[in-house]
Amino acid sequence: MEWGTLSVAAVGALFGIGATVITDSLRSRREREQRWADAKRLVYVRFLTALAQAHSRMVMASARGAAGEARRHAVHDAFHNDPQHSEAKSVLRELGLVAPDHVYRVALPLYEQLRLLRDVLASEEVALETPEYRQVVVPFFQTMETLQRLMRDDLQPSTGWGRRSSGVRTPAPGTAGR
């Protein structure tokens, strides 16, 4: 056997091993990114669901016709007692762990808007038809739509080399120009 044949075989083996290592590395990275995206998607859905369900429970509690302290207590119970044990505050903490800052900066004031809705619905003077309720609920749902769009953009797959398909990032409400 000649040295030339032996060296070509060795170079071919090195190329084969190198290609396998690179392919395995890329596959491992892709799988890790997919698991991370799945974890974020789960928390995003849990947070949006917890907010919507808390709002619905509070509306139902306020519409039952209780007055005074009983109404306040019913609305506060509806805010805190989630039958699926995914109370919005706890899921907000999960969101703080997995979401990028631009998403969390919108989620935090949204949670505060939910708390404001709780206080408004607990008041006897406010009904679902009153302007006071509309002044709070409209921005709540607008911010929720903004957050949902940011979450969707964050979950979009990369278009290659670390760039997202949608590079538009919206600042948190009230933070423009800071």
PDB file of all heavy atoms in Angstrom, residues 89-128:
ATOM      1  N   LYS A  89     -50.407  35.770  39.308  1.00  0.00           N
ATOM      2  CA  LYS A  89     -49.158  36.235  39.936  1.00  0.00           C
ATOM      3  C   LYS A  89     -48.080  35.150  39.883  1.00  0.00           C
ATOM      4  O   LYS A  89     -46.917  35.439  39.580  1.00  0.00           O
ATOM      5  CB  LYS A  89     -49.436  36.656  41.384  1.00  0.00           C
ATOM      6  CG  LYS A  89     -48.232  37.144  42.133  1.00  0.00           C
ATOM      7  CD  LYS A  89     -47.749  38.466  41.610  1.00  0.00           C
ATOM      8  CE  LYS A  89     -46.656  39.039  42.487  1.00  0.00           C
ATOM      9  NZ  LYS A  89     -46.353  40.406  42.191  1.00  0.00           N
ATOM     10  N   SER A  90     -48.450  33.906  40.152  1.00  0.00           N
ATOM     11  CA  SER A  90     -47.443  32.838  40.114  1.00  0.00           C
ATOM     12  C   SER A  90     -46.952  32.588  38.690  1.00  0.00           C
ATOM     13  O   SER A  90     -45.765  32.337  38.470  1.00  0.00           O
ATOM     14  CB  SER A  90     -47.980  31.558  40.748  1.00  0.00           C
ATOM     15  OG  SER A  90     -49.076  31.061  40.020  1.00  0.00           O
ATOM     16  N   VAL A  91     -47.847  32.677  37.713  1.00  0.00           N
ATOM     17  CA  VAL A  91     -47.430  32.474  36.331  1.00  0.00           C
ATOM     18  C   VAL A  91     -46.606  33.673  35.856  1.00  0.00           C
ATOM     19  O   VAL A  91     -45.689  33.515  35.047  1.00  0.00           O
ATOM     20  CB  VAL A  91     -48.633  32.207  35.403  1.00  0.00           C
ATOM     21  CG1 VAL A  91     -48.167  31.903  33.992  1.00  0.00           C
ATOM     22  CG2 VAL A  91     -49.468  31.050  35.929  1.00  0.00           C
ATOM     23  N   LEU A  92     -46.896  34.869  36.391  1.00  0.00           N
ATOM     24  CA  LEU A  92     -46.067  36.039  36.082  1.00  0.00           C
ATOM     25  C   LEU A  92     -44.625  35.795  36.528  1.00  0.00           C
ATOM     26  O   LEU A  92     -43.679  36.157  35.833  1.00  0.00           O
ATOM     27  CB  LEU A  92     -46.628  37.290  36.757  1.00  0.00           C
ATOM     28  CG  LEU A  92     -45.815  38.571  36.586  1.00  0.00           C
ATOM     29  CD1 LEU A  92     -45.809  39.018  35.132  1.00  0.00           C
ATOM     30  CD2 LEU A  92     -46.369  39.673  37.480  1.00  0.00           C
ATOM     31  N   ARG A  93     -44.458  35.165  37.671  1.00  0.00           N
ATOM     32  CA  ARG A  93     -43.101  34.845  38.152  1.00  0.00           C
ATOM     33  C   ARG A  93     -42.415  33.847  37.215  1.00  0.00           C
ATOM     34  O   ARG A  93     -41.223  33.968  36.935  1.00  0.00           O
ATOM     35  CB  ARG A  93     -43.154  34.323  39.572  1.00  0.00           C
ATOM     36  CG  ARG A  93     -43.581  35.378  40.562  1.00  0.00           C
ATOM     37  CD  ARG A  93     -43.559  34.841  41.994  1.00  0.00           C
ATOM     38  NE  ARG A  93     -44.158  35.750  42.921  1.00  0.00           N
ATOM     39  CZ  ARG A  93     -43.598  36.838  43.426  1.00  0.00           C
ATOM     40  NH1 ARG A  93     -42.386  37.163  43.042  1.00  0.00           N
ATOM     41  NH2 ARG A  93     -44.225  37.592  44.292  1.00  0.00           N
ATOM     42  N   GLU A  94     -43.161  32.856  36.735  1.00  0.00           N
ATOM     43  CA  GLU A  94     -42.602  31.924  35.748  1.00  0.00           C
ATOM     44  C   GLU A  94     -42.200  32.670  34.483  1.00  0.00           C
ATOM     45  O   GLU A  94     -41.150  32.406  33.901  1.00  0.00           O
ATOM     46  CB  GLU A  94     -43.624  30.850  35.386  1.00  0.00           C
ATOM     47  CG  GLU A  94     -43.917  29.842  36.457  1.00  0.00           C
ATOM     48  CD  GLU A  94     -44.952  28.835  35.996  1.00  0.00           C
ATOM     49  OE1 GLU A  94     -44.828  28.315  34.859  1.00  0.00           O
ATOM     50  OE2 GLU A  94     -45.890  28.565  36.763  1.00  0.00           O
ATOM     51  N   LEU A  95     -43.052  33.590  34.076  1.00  0.00           N
ATOM     52  CA  LEU A  95     -42.788  34.382  32.882  1.00  0.00           C
ATOM     53  C   LEU A  95     -41.492  35.178  33.046  1.00  0.00           C
ATOM     54  O   LEU A  95     -40.714  35.305  32.103  1.00  0.00           O
ATOM     55  CB  LEU A  95     -43.965  35.318  32.611  1.00  0.00           C
ATOM     56  CG  LEU A  95     -43.987  36.039  31.285  1.00  0.00           C
ATOM     57  CD1 LEU A  95     -44.234  35.061  30.147  1.00  0.00           C
ATOM     58  CD2 LEU A  95     -45.054  37.110  31.289  1.00  0.00           C
ATOM     59  N   GLY A  96     -41.259  35.683  34.249  1.00  0.00           N
ATOM     60  CA  GLY A  96     -40.030  36.418  34.519  1.00  0.00           C
ATOM     61  C   GLY A  96     -38.784  35.568  34.348  1.00  0.00           C
ATOM     62  O   GLY A  96     -37.698  36.090  34.085  1.00  0.00           O
ATOM     63  N   LEU A  97     -38.940  34.260  34.467  1.00  0.00           N
ATOM     64  CA  LEU A  97     -37.801  33.355  34.303  1.00  0.00           C
ATOM     65  C   LEU A  97     -37.519  33.013  32.840  1.00  0.00           C
ATOM     66  O   LEU A  97     -36.367  32.842  32.460  1.00  0.00           O
ATOM     67  CB  LEU A  97     -38.046  32.051  35.073  1.00  0.00           C
ATOM     68  CG  LEU A  97     -38.089  32.162  36.588  1.00  0.00           C
ATOM     69  CD1 LEU A  97     -38.496  30.828  37.193  1.00  0.00           C
ATOM     70  CD2 LEU A  97     -36.757  32.627  37.137  1.00  0.00           C
ATOM     71  N   VAL A  98     -38.566  32.912  32.030  1.00  0.00           N
ATOM     72  CA  VAL A  98     -38.354  32.411  30.669  1.00  0.00           C
ATOM     73  C   VAL A  98     -38.482  33.466  29.579  1.00  0.00           C
ATOM     74  O   VAL A  98     -37.941  33.282  28.493  1.00  0.00           O
ATOM     75  CB  VAL A  98     -39.307  31.232  30.337  1.00  0.00           C
ATOM     76  CG1 VAL A  98     -39.088  30.073  31.278  1.00  0.00           C
ATOM     77  CG2 VAL A  98     -40.751  31.668  30.326  1.00  0.00           C
ATOM     78  N   ALA A  99     -39.174  34.550  29.852  1.00  0.00           N
ATOM     79  CA  ALA A  99     -39.426  35.541  28.799  1.00  0.00           C
ATOM     80  C   ALA A  99     -38.274  36.520  28.674  1.00  0.00           C
ATOM     81  O   ALA A  99     -37.644  36.883  29.666  1.00  0.00           O
ATOM     82  CB  ALA A  99     -40.713  36.308  29.102  1.00  0.00           C
ATOM     83  N   PRO A 100     -38.015  36.992  27.458  1.00  0.00           N
ATOM     84  CA  PRO A 100     -37.038  38.067  27.299  1.00  0.00           C
ATOM     85  C   PRO A 100     -37.560  39.340  27.971  1.00  0.00           C
ATOM     86  O   PRO A 100     -38.763  39.482  28.210  1.00  0.00           O
ATOM     87  CB  PRO A 100     -36.936  38.254  25.785  1.00  0.00           C
ATOM     88  CG  PRO A 100     -37.823  37.259  25.153  1.00  0.00           C
ATOM     89  CD  PRO A 100     -38.577  36.542  26.194  1.00  0.00           C
ATOM     90  N   ASP A 101     -36.666  40.260  28.257  1.00  0.00           N
ATOM     91  CA  ASP A 101     -37.038  41.485  28.970  1.00  0.00           C
ATOM     92  C   ASP A 101     -38.145  42.264  28.278  1.00  0.00           C
ATOM     93  O   ASP A 101     -39.033  42.789  28.943  1.00  0.00           O
ATOM     94  CB  ASP A 101     -35.817  42.388  29.160  1.00  0.00           C
ATOM     95  CG  ASP A 101     -34.897  41.881  30.248  1.00  0.00           C
ATOM     96  OD1 ASP A 101     -35.337  41.059  31.074  1.00  0.00           O
ATOM     97  OD2 ASP A 101     -33.730  42.310  30.266  1.00  0.00           O
ATOM     98  N   HIS A 102     -38.106  42.371  26.962  1.00  0.00           N
ATOM     99  CA  HIS A 102     -39.120  43.171  26.269  1.00  0.00           C
ATOM    100  C   HIS A 102     -40.518  42.574  26.428  1.00  0.00           C
ATOM    101  O   HIS A 102     -41.497  43.305  26.418  1.00  0.00           O
ATOM    102  CB  HIS A 102     -38.757  43.377  24.793  1.00  0.00           C
ATOM    103  CG  HIS A 102     -38.885  42.157  23.943  1.00  0.00           C
ATOM    104  ND1 HIS A 102     -37.910  41.188  23.882  1.00  0.00           N
ATOM    105  CD2 HIS A 102     -39.883  41.745  23.135  1.00  0.00           C
ATOM    106  CE1 HIS A 102     -38.292  40.230  23.059  1.00  0.00           C
ATOM    107  NE2 HIS A 102     -39.493  40.540  22.599  1.00  0.00           N
ATOM    108  N   VAL A 103     -40.626  41.275  26.610  1.00  0.00           N
ATOM    109  CA  VAL A 103     -41.927  40.644  26.852  1.00  0.00           C
ATOM    110  C   VAL A 103     -42.339  40.858  28.304  1.00  0.00           C
ATOM    111  O   VAL A 103     -43.475  41.242  28.587  1.00  0.00           O
ATOM    112  CB  VAL A 103     -41.881  39.133  26.501  1.00  0.00           C
ATOM    113  CG1 VAL A 103     -43.153  38.422  26.935  1.00  0.00           C
ATOM    114  CG2 VAL A 103     -41.636  38.942  25.007  1.00  0.00           C
ATOM    115  N   TYR A 104     -41.427  40.648  29.212  1.00  0.00           N
ATOM    116  CA  TYR A 104     -41.746  40.795  30.637  1.00  0.00           C
ATOM    117  C   TYR A 104     -42.120  42.241  30.977  1.00  0.00           C
ATOM    118  O   TYR A 104     -42.992  42.475  31.812  1.00  0.00           O
ATOM    119  CB  TYR A 104     -40.564  40.320  31.489  1.00  0.00           C
ATOM    120  CG  TYR A 104     -40.881  40.312  32.966  1.00  0.00           C
ATOM    121  CD1 TYR A 104     -41.739  39.350  33.501  1.00  0.00           C
ATOM    122  CD2 TYR A 104     -40.346  41.265  33.815  1.00  0.00           C
ATOM    123  CE1 TYR A 104     -42.044  39.345  34.853  1.00  0.00           C
ATOM    124  CE2 TYR A 104     -40.647  41.257  35.164  1.00  0.00           C
ATOM    125  CZ  TYR A 104     -41.492  40.301  35.680  1.00  0.00           C
ATOM    126  OH  TYR A 104     -41.798  40.295  37.015  1.00  0.00           O
ATOM    127  N   ARG A 105     -41.478  43.206  30.317  1.00  0.00           N
ATOM    128  CA  ARG A 105     -41.782  44.624  30.584  1.00  0.00           C
ATOM    129  C   ARG A 105     -43.202  44.987  30.177  1.00  0.00           C
ATOM    130  O   ARG A 105     -43.735  45.986  30.642  1.00  0.00           O
ATOM    131  CB  ARG A 105     -40.777  45.529  29.880  1.00  0.00           C
ATOM    132  CG  ARG A 105     -39.458  45.628  30.585  1.00  0.00           C
ATOM    133  CD  ARG A 105     -38.602  46.768  30.051  1.00  0.00           C
ATOM    134  NE  ARG A 105     -38.589  46.862  28.612  1.00  0.00           N
ATOM    135  CZ  ARG A 105     -37.625  46.398  27.834  1.00  0.00           C
ATOM    136  NH1 ARG A 105     -36.580  45.815  28.350  1.00  0.00           N
ATOM    137  NH2 ARG A 105     -37.703  46.528  26.521  1.00  0.00           N
ATOM    138  N   VAL A 106     -43.823  44.229  29.295  1.00  0.00           N
ATOM    139  CA  VAL A 106     -45.228  44.454  28.939  1.00  0.00           C
ATOM    140  C   VAL A 106     -46.134  43.622  29.851  1.00  0.00           C
ATOM    141  O   VAL A 106     -47.227  44.058  30.217  1.00  0.00           O
ATOM    142  CB  VAL A 106     -45.477  44.124  27.453  1.00  0.00           C
ATOM    143  CG1 VAL A 106     -46.952  44.246  27.095  1.00  0.00           C
ATOM    144  CG2 VAL A 106     -44.645  45.041  26.567  1.00  0.00           C
ATOM    145  N   ALA A 107     -45.683  42.446  30.248  1.00  0.00           N
ATOM    146  CA  ALA A 107     -46.499  41.564  31.087  1.00  0.00           C
ATOM    147  C   ALA A 107     -46.704  42.138  32.490  1.00  0.00           C
ATOM    148  O   ALA A 107     -47.799  42.019  33.054  1.00  0.00           O
ATOM    149  CB  ALA A 107     -45.852  40.183  31.183  1.00  0.00           C
ATOM    150  N   LEU A 108     -45.692  42.740  33.042  1.00  0.00           N
ATOM    151  CA  LEU A 108     -45.794  43.261  34.406  1.00  0.00           C
ATOM    152  C   LEU A 108     -46.861  44.349  34.533  1.00  0.00           C
ATOM    153  O   LEU A 108     -47.741  44.242  35.401  1.00  0.00           O
ATOM    154  CB  LEU A 108     -44.422  43.757  34.873  1.00  0.00           C
ATOM    155  CG  LEU A 108     -44.280  44.108  36.343  1.00  0.00           C
ATOM    156  CD1 LEU A 108     -44.655  42.931  37.229  1.00  0.00           C
ATOM    157  CD2 LEU A 108     -42.857  44.548  36.626  1.00  0.00           C
ATOM    158  N   PRO A 109     -46.875  45.380  33.682  1.00  0.00           N
ATOM    159  CA  PRO A 109     -47.952  46.365  33.787  1.00  0.00           C
ATOM    160  C   PRO A 109     -49.327  45.776  33.445  1.00  0.00           C
ATOM    161  O   PRO A 109     -50.335  46.243  33.950  1.00  0.00           O
ATOM    162  CB  PRO A 109     -47.582  47.472  32.806  1.00  0.00           C
ATOM    163  CG  PRO A 109     -46.300  47.105  32.192  1.00  0.00           C
ATOM    164  CD  PRO A 109     -45.846  45.802  32.733  1.00  0.00           C
ATOM    165  N   LEU A 110     -49.355  44.743  32.607  1.00  0.00           N
ATOM    166  CA  LEU A 110     -50.628  44.095  32.295  1.00  0.00           C
ATOM    167  C   LEU A 110     -51.204  43.442  33.556  1.00  0.00           C
ATOM    168  O   LEU A 110     -52.405  43.530  33.817  1.00  0.00           O
ATOM    169  CB  LEU A 110     -50.457  43.069  31.184  1.00  0.00           C
ATOM    170  CG  LEU A 110     -51.718  42.324  30.752  1.00  0.00           C
ATOM    171  CD1 LEU A 110     -52.784  43.298  30.247  1.00  0.00           C
ATOM    172  CD2 LEU A 110     -51.380  41.303  29.675  1.00  0.00           C
ATOM    173  N   TYR A 111     -50.346  42.807  34.325  1.00  0.00           N
ATOM    174  CA  TYR A 111     -50.806  42.222  35.588  1.00  0.00           C
ATOM    175  C   TYR A 111     -51.320  43.323  36.526  1.00  0.00           C
ATOM    176  O   TYR A 111     -52.344  43.145  37.196  1.00  0.00           O
ATOM    177  CB  TYR A 111     -49.676  41.429  36.256  1.00  0.00           C
ATOM    178  CG  TYR A 111     -50.084  40.897  37.609  1.00  0.00           C
ATOM    179  CD1 TYR A 111     -50.920  39.786  37.708  1.00  0.00           C
ATOM    180  CD2 TYR A 111     -49.660  41.517  38.773  1.00  0.00           C
ATOM    181  CE1 TYR A 111     -51.325  39.314  38.942  1.00  0.00           C
ATOM    182  CE2 TYR A 111     -50.059  41.044  40.011  1.00  0.00           C
ATOM    183  CZ  TYR A 111     -50.886  39.943  40.089  1.00  0.00           C
ATOM    184  OH  TYR A 111     -51.283  39.483  41.310  1.00  0.00           O
ATOM    185  N   GLU A 112     -50.632  44.450  36.553  1.00  0.00           N
ATOM    186  CA  GLU A 112     -51.091  45.568  37.389  1.00  0.00           C
ATOM    187  C   GLU A 112     -52.438  46.091  36.900  1.00  0.00           C
ATOM    188  O   GLU A 112     -53.276  46.496  37.706  1.00  0.00           O
ATOM    189  CB  GLU A 112     -50.044  46.685  37.414  1.00  0.00           C
ATOM    190  CG  GLU A 112     -48.758  46.295  38.124  1.00  0.00           C
ATOM    191  CD  GLU A 112     -48.980  45.840  39.565  1.00  0.00           C
ATOM    192  OE1 GLU A 112     -49.843  46.424  40.264  1.00  0.00           O
ATOM    193  OE2 GLU A 112     -48.301  44.887  39.992  1.00  0.00           O
ATOM    194  N   GLN A 113     -52.667  46.087  35.588  1.00  0.00           N
ATOM    195  CA  GLN A 113     -53.966  46.490  35.063  1.00  0.00           C
ATOM    196  C   GLN A 113     -55.054  45.515  35.500  1.00  0.00           C
ATOM    197  O   GLN A 113     -56.187  45.926  35.772  1.00  0.00           O
ATOM    198  CB  GLN A 113     -53.927  46.574  33.532  1.00  0.00           C
ATOM    199  CG  GLN A 113     -53.155  47.748  33.003  1.00  0.00           C
ATOM    200  CD  GLN A 113     -53.060  47.729  31.484  1.00  0.00           C
ATOM    201  OE1 GLN A 113     -53.014  46.665  30.857  1.00  0.00           O
ATOM    202  NE2 GLN A 113     -53.026  48.910  30.889  1.00  0.00           N
ATOM    203  N   LEU A 114     -54.724  44.225  35.585  1.00  0.00           N
ATOM    204  CA  LEU A 114     -55.683  43.241  36.075  1.00  0.00           C
ATOM    205  C   LEU A 114     -56.039  43.537  37.533  1.00  0.00           C
ATOM    206  O   LEU A 114     -57.206  43.441  37.924  1.00  0.00           O
ATOM    207  CB  LEU A 114     -55.124  41.826  35.933  1.00  0.00           C
ATOM    208  CG  LEU A 114     -56.040  40.695  36.402  1.00  0.00           C
ATOM    209  CD1 LEU A 114     -57.263  40.580  35.488  1.00  0.00           C
ATOM    210  CD2 LEU A 114     -55.284  39.383  36.452  1.00  0.00           C
ATOM    211  N   ARG A 115     -55.045  43.909  38.317  1.00  0.00           N
ATOM    212  CA  ARG A 115     -55.317  44.261  39.719  1.00  0.00           C
ATOM    213  C   ARG A 115     -56.196  45.504  39.812  1.00  0.00           C
ATOM    214  O   ARG A 115     -57.083  45.588  40.661  1.00  0.00           O
ATOM    215  CB  ARG A 115     -54.004  44.476  40.468  1.00  0.00           C
ATOM    216  CG  ARG A 115     -53.220  43.174  40.635  1.00  0.00           C
ATOM    217  CD  ARG A 115     -51.935  43.389  41.349  1.00  0.00           C
ATOM    218  NE  ARG A 115     -52.225  43.836  42.711  1.00  0.00           N
ATOM    219  CZ  ARG A 115     -51.323  44.329  43.531  1.00  0.00           C
ATOM    220  NH1 ARG A 115     -50.074  44.445  43.143  1.00  0.00           N
ATOM    221  NH2 ARG A 115     -51.644  44.707  44.740  1.00  0.00           N
ATOM    222  N   LEU A 116     -55.966  46.463  38.933  1.00  0.00           N
ATOM    223  CA  LEU A 116     -56.812  47.658  38.896  1.00  0.00           C
ATOM    224  C   LEU A 116     -58.244  47.276  38.509  1.00  0.00           C
ATOM    225  O   LEU A 116     -59.206  47.780  39.105  1.00  0.00           O
ATOM    226  CB  LEU A 116     -56.237  48.677  37.919  1.00  0.00           C
ATOM    227  CG  LEU A 116     -56.987  49.995  37.774  1.00  0.00           C
ATOM    228  CD1 LEU A 116     -57.070  50.725  39.109  1.00  0.00           C
ATOM    229  CD2 LEU A 116     -56.295  50.870  36.741  1.00  0.00           C
ATOM    230  N   LEU A 117     -58.392  46.372  37.549  1.00  0.00           N
ATOM    231  CA  LEU A 117     -59.711  45.873  37.182  1.00  0.00           C
ATOM    232  C   LEU A 117     -60.394  45.226  38.385  1.00  0.00           C
ATOM    233  O   LEU A 117     -61.601  45.411  38.595  1.00  0.00           O
ATOM    234  CB  LEU A 117     -59.593  44.844  36.057  1.00  0.00           C
ATOM    235  CG  LEU A 117     -59.711  45.350  34.644  1.00  0.00           C
ATOM    236  CD1 LEU A 117     -59.273  44.299  33.643  1.00  0.00           C
ATOM    237  CD2 LEU A 117     -61.111  45.813  34.351  1.00  0.00           C
ATOM    238  N   ARG A 118     -59.642  44.467  39.152  1.00  0.00           N
ATOM    239  CA  ARG A 118     -60.183  43.844  40.363  1.00  0.00           C
ATOM    240  C   ARG A 118     -60.755  44.899  41.296  1.00  0.00           C
ATOM    241  O   ARG A 118     -61.886  44.781  41.771  1.00  0.00           O
ATOM    242  CB  ARG A 118     -59.080  43.057  41.084  1.00  0.00           C
ATOM    243  CG  ARG A 118     -59.509  42.462  42.412  1.00  0.00           C
ATOM    244  CD  ARG A 118     -58.328  42.107  43.268  1.00  0.00           C
ATOM    245  NE  ARG A 118     -57.554  43.312  43.593  1.00  0.00           N
ATOM    246  CZ  ARG A 118     -56.314  43.291  44.065  1.00  0.00           C
ATOM    247  NH1 ARG A 118     -55.682  42.151  44.245  1.00  0.00           N
ATOM    248  NH2 ARG A 118     -55.690  44.416  44.343  1.00  0.00           N
ATOM    249  N   ASP A 119     -59.991  45.965  41.527  1.00  0.00           N
ATOM    250  CA  ASP A 119     -60.441  47.015  42.438  1.00  0.00           C
ATOM    251  C   ASP A 119     -61.657  47.754  41.894  1.00  0.00           C
ATOM    252  O   ASP A 119     -62.566  48.094  42.648  1.00  0.00           O
ATOM    253  CB  ASP A 119     -59.299  47.987  42.727  1.00  0.00           C
ATOM    254  CG  ASP A 119     -58.139  47.310  43.448  1.00  0.00           C
ATOM    255  OD1 ASP A 119     -58.340  46.212  44.026  1.00  0.00           O
ATOM    256  OD2 ASP A 119     -57.026  47.865  43.407  1.00  0.00           O
ATOM    257  N   VAL A 120     -61.683  47.976  40.582  1.00  0.00           N
ATOM    258  CA  VAL A 120     -62.824  48.662  39.969  1.00  0.00           C
ATOM    259  C   VAL A 120     -64.065  47.779  40.057  1.00  0.00           C
ATOM    260  O   VAL A 120     -65.156  48.252  40.416  1.00  0.00           O
ATOM    261  CB  VAL A 120     -62.498  49.043  38.505  1.00  0.00           C
ATOM    262  CG1 VAL A 120     -63.745  49.444  37.741  1.00  0.00           C
ATOM    263  CG2 VAL A 120     -61.464  50.153  38.469  1.00  0.00           C
ATOM    264  N   LEU A 121     -63.942  46.500  39.737  1.00  0.00           N
ATOM    265  CA  LEU A 121     -65.088  45.598  39.783  1.00  0.00           C
ATOM    266  C   LEU A 121     -65.588  45.368  41.208  1.00  0.00           C
ATOM    267  O   LEU A 121     -66.764  45.062  41.414  1.00  0.00           O
ATOM    268  CB  LEU A 121     -64.738  44.261  39.126  1.00  0.00           C
ATOM    269  CG  LEU A 121     -64.631  44.294  37.606  1.00  0.00           C
ATOM    270  CD1 LEU A 121     -64.025  43.003  37.088  1.00  0.00           C
ATOM    271  CD2 LEU A 121     -65.985  44.558  36.976  1.00  0.00           C
ATOM    272  N   ALA A 122     -64.718  45.517  42.178  1.00  0.00           N
ATOM    273  CA  ALA A 122     -65.117  45.330  43.576  1.00  0.00           C
ATOM    274  C   ALA A 122     -65.927  46.514  44.097  1.00  0.00           C
ATOM    275  O   ALA A 122     -66.620  46.399  45.105  1.00  0.00           O
ATOM    276  CB  ALA A 122     -63.884  45.107  44.447  1.00  0.00           C
ATOM    277  N   SER A 123     -65.874  47.623  43.406  1.00  0.00           N
ATOM    278  CA  SER A 123     -66.597  48.830  43.822  1.00  0.00           C
ATOM    279  C   SER A 123     -68.077  48.708  43.467  1.00  0.00           C
ATOM    280  O   SER A 123     -68.425  48.294  42.362  1.00  0.00           O
ATOM    281  CB  SER A 123     -65.984  50.048  43.132  1.00  0.00           C
ATOM    282  OG  SER A 123     -66.782  51.179  43.335  1.00  0.00           O
ATOM    283  N   GLU A 124     -68.933  49.108  44.380  1.00  0.00           N
ATOM    284  CA  GLU A 124     -70.376  49.046  44.145  1.00  0.00           C
ATOM    285  C   GLU A 124     -70.832  50.015  43.069  1.00  0.00           C
ATOM    286  O   GLU A 124     -71.818  49.779  42.388  1.00  0.00           O
ATOM    287  CB  GLU A 124     -71.140  49.361  45.429  1.00  0.00           C
ATOM    288  CG  GLU A 124     -71.184  48.216  46.383  1.00  0.00           C
ATOM    289  CD  GLU A 124     -72.090  48.520  47.552  1.00  0.00           C
ATOM    290  OE1 GLU A 124     -73.281  48.789  47.334  1.00  0.00           O
ATOM    291  OE2 GLU A 124     -71.592  48.488  48.676  1.00  0.00           O
ATOM    292  N   GLU A 125     -70.135  51.119  42.914  1.00  0.00           N
ATOM    293  CA  GLU A 125     -70.558  52.159  41.981  1.00  0.00           C
ATOM    294  C   GLU A 125     -70.288  51.787  40.525  1.00  0.00           C
ATOM    295  O   GLU A 125     -70.744  52.471  39.620  1.00  0.00           O
ATOM    296  CB  GLU A 125     -69.844  53.491  42.273  1.00  0.00           C
ATOM    297  CG  GLU A 125     -70.118  54.068  43.642  1.00  0.00           C
ATOM    298  CD  GLU A 125     -69.238  53.451  44.720  1.00  0.00           C
ATOM    299  OE1 GLU A 125     -68.081  53.107  44.436  1.00  0.00           O
ATOM    300  OE2 GLU A 125     -69.732  53.299  45.844  1.00  0.00           O
ATOM    301  N   VAL A 126     -69.536  50.735  40.293  1.00  0.00           N
ATOM    302  CA  VAL A 126     -69.111  50.398  38.938  1.00  0.00           C
ATOM    303  C   VAL A 126     -69.846  49.150  38.460  1.00  0.00           C
ATOM    304  O   VAL A 126     -69.913  48.150  39.154  1.00  0.00           O
ATOM    305  CB  VAL A 126     -67.581  50.164  38.889  1.00  0.00           C
ATOM    306  CG1 VAL A 126     -67.148  49.725  37.514  1.00  0.00           C
ATOM    307  CG2 VAL A 126     -66.845  51.416  39.307  1.00  0.00           C
ATOM    308  N   ALA A 127     -70.399  49.269  37.262  1.00  0.00           N
ATOM    309  CA  ALA A 127     -71.007  48.125  36.574  1.00  0.00           C
ATOM    310  C   ALA A 127     -70.298  47.971  35.234  1.00  0.00           C
ATOM    311  O   ALA A 127     -69.541  48.850  34.813  1.00  0.00           O
ATOM    312  CB  ALA A 127     -72.500  48.355  36.388  1.00  0.00           C
ATOM    313  N   LEU A 128     -70.573  46.878  34.563  1.00  0.00           N
ATOM    314  CA  LEU A 128     -69.897  46.607  33.294  1.00  0.00           C
ATOM    315  C   LEU A 128     -70.235  47.638  32.220  1.00  0.00           C
ATOM    316  O   LEU A 128     -69.477  47.802  31.272  1.00  0.00           O
ATOM    317  CB  LEU A 128     -70.255  45.207  32.792  1.00  0.00           C
ATOM    318  CG  LEU A 128     -69.862  44.060  33.725  1.00  0.00           C
ATOM    319  CD1 LEU A 128     -70.325  42.742  33.151  1.00  0.00           C
ATOM    320  CD2 LEU A 128     -68.373  44.057  33.975  1.00  0.00           C
TER     321      LEU A 128
END
